[in-house]
Amino acid sequence: MSQEACITRVTNETNIQIAISLKGGPIKLKQSILPKGQKVVEGQTNVASQQTNSQIIDVQTGIGFLDHMIHALAKHSGWSLIVECIGDLHIDDHHTTEDCGIALGTAFKDALGAVRGVKRFGTGFAPLDEALSRAVIDLSNRPFAVVDLGLKREKIGDLSCEMIPHFLESFAEAARITMHVDCLRGNNDHHRSESAFKALAVAIKDATSSNGTNDIPSTKGVLM
């Protein structure tokens, strides 16, 4: 299976398009939706853009710290990922963050396809300096999220700290996975958040790895 998907999500609040490949490798969008002023031009640096022999990552949501977190998630999950979003940031960061979580979860679910031949359950731990986070997921088709990051700041960059767990919850709901993400320790909210996204990436990579069969990993025989 290709494990690729391209999705669009258009509302009165946001316009989003995503291309994803869970196996990495080359991906592209048919056409960018971003205005020329928002696109990265030659000679400029986008910290959420990276191209290697195995992955293409380009995330532009209009919110720098959100781009950074999605970039970390894609990088350590082994995905190739392009995210473009035009949102109503003149209001605040809520609609853009929530809708990007929904769109990314939808793209992940579409790319994964039928849950069979994979481990289903995944666990990940990731440190970032003094911070340590744990993530446990189940490709259950029963969406539920418990997220406890213990963030204390109002914002990190232009992203409200309250929206960071909400992004993860929105992703889990749309991806139809059960997900627990906890920051176990740490003093710096940037570190706490980033370690959480990296731990989730490790857990996703674990859960979607092959179990050596083509079976549905459920005693019910179905995941629905």
Side-chain angles (χ1 to χ4, degrees):
M1 296 178 63
S2 66
Q3 293 196 319
E4 297 178 2
C6 289
I7 68 109
T8 59
R9 176 182 169 84
V10 181
T11 72
N12 290 335
E13 298 163 344
T14 59
N15 183 1
I16 300 170
Q17 63 174 358
I18 293 177
I20 188 172
S21 170
L22 304 186
K23 295 181 178 180
I27 58 170
K28 63 180 180 179
L29 296 168
K30 289 183 179 180
Q31 185 174 349
S32 175
I33 61 171
L34 298 178
K36 291 183 179 180
Q38 192 174 334
K39 295 178 185 177
V40 177
V41 298
E42 187 175 357
Q44 295 182 351
T45 300
N46 177 10
V47 296
S49 182
Q50 185 175 23
Q51 185 167 343
T52 68
N53 290 334
S54 59
Q55 284 178 285
I56 295 172
I57 302 171
D58 188 10
V59 183
Q60 297 189 63
T61 68
I63 305 173
F65 192 70
L66 181 60
D67 292 354
H68 183 41
M69 293 300 96
I70 297 174
H71 182 191
L73 179 63
K75 181 62 181 179
H76 299 288
S77 295
W79 301 343
S80 284
L81 179 68
I82 301 172
V83 178
E84 294 185 345
C85 176
I86 302 172
D88 56 2
L89 295 177
H90 61 284
I91 295 176
D92 67 6
D93 57 348
H94 184 102
H95 297 144
T96 291
T97 306
E98 179 181 67
D99 287 4
C100 283
I102 293 170
L104 183 58
T106 302
F108 171 80
K109 182 178 183 298
D110 289 355
L112 183 62
V115 180
R116 61 188 311 145
V118 296
K119 290 176 66 176
R120 174 180 166 180
F121 301 100
T123 303
F125 289 84
L128 179 55
D129 295 346
E130 88 296 346
L132 174 66
S133 292
R134 170 187 59 201
V136 183
I137 72 164
D138 175 8
L139 305 177
S140 60
N141 204 30
R142 295 190 303 276
F144 197 87
V146 178
V147 182
D148 185 2
L149 304 186
L151 304 178
K152 298 177 181 178
R153 290 167 57 177
E154 180 181 355
K155 283 189 170 186
I156 305 176
D158 291 326
L159 181 60
S160 304
C161 282
E162 67 179 3
M163 292 308 303
I164 296 173
H166 188 55
F167 172 88
L168 295 172
E169 292 159 358
S170 300
F171 170 79
E173 179 74 22
R176 298 194 63 80
I177 63 175
T178 302
M179 183 177 81
H180 292 249
V181 182
D182 307 278
C183 185
L184 303 177
R185 64 177 63 92
N187 301 317
N188 182 289
D189 279 355
H190 184 134
H191 292 173
R192 293 177 72 94
S193 301
E194 188 169 345
S195 69
F197 274 76
K198 289 178 176 177
L200 177 59
V202 174
I204 289 173
K205 193 170 186 179
D206 186 28
T208 56
S209 63
S210 173
N211 65 8
T213 75
N214 193 39
D215 297 341
I216 297 171
S218 171
T219 55
K220 298 177 182 179
V222 295
L223 282 169
M224 60 184 300

